[in-house]
Each structure stands twice: as C-alpha cells, then as structure tokens.
Amino acid sequence: MRLFHCTYCGHKLRFRQSACSQCYQPTPYYNRLRFWLILTLAVLAAAAAFALSLIV
Ligand SMILES: [Zn+2]
C-alpha cells in the first residue's frame, strides 16, 4: 500500500516504512502505524466522551 511520498525526494513510500527506500531519510510521522493508532483511539475516546455527555 503506497499512500505517501517522501518529503525529501518524492519517492512513493510503502505504508509503515520508517525510512525512505531511495534516499534513506526518515519518513513523516503520518506514515507510521502508531500515529494512526493513537489518532483513532483519540477520536474514539472523544466520541465516547461526547456520547456519554449526551446521555448523562
Ligand atoms: Zn526519499
């Protein structure tokens, strides 16, 4: 799965790759799985908090 481009050389990055395979620069944080896991958890937590505030 190739979603993002390297910010240094424009090479297409494989998702979850921590470094560009062409220029070996570190990839942006949004190419890491952990970023999306934390983002998803944060959104779910916010949605849960919002739902609870409607109920209570
Ligand atoms: Zn690169």
Side-chain angles (χ1 to χ4, degrees):
M1 194 162 61
R2 291 169 188 270
L3 297 172
F4 304 111
H5 294 260
C6 175
T7 51
Y8 298 94
C9 70
H11 184 70
K12 278 186 180 175
L13 298 171
R14 214 178 274 269
F15 186 57
R16 293 174 64 185
Q17 201 174 20
S18 58
C20 176
S21 60
Q22 187 158 291
C23 66
Y24 302 103
Q25 293 291 330
T27 58
Y29 59 90
Y30 49 75
N31 196 50
R32 318 288 171 81
L33 184 64
R34 187 173 294 180
F35 168 74
W36 294 104
L37 280 175
I38 291 169
L39 190 74
T40 306
L41 286 174
V43 168
L44 284 175
F50 180 68
L52 279 174
S53 72
L54 288 179
I55 294 166
V56 178

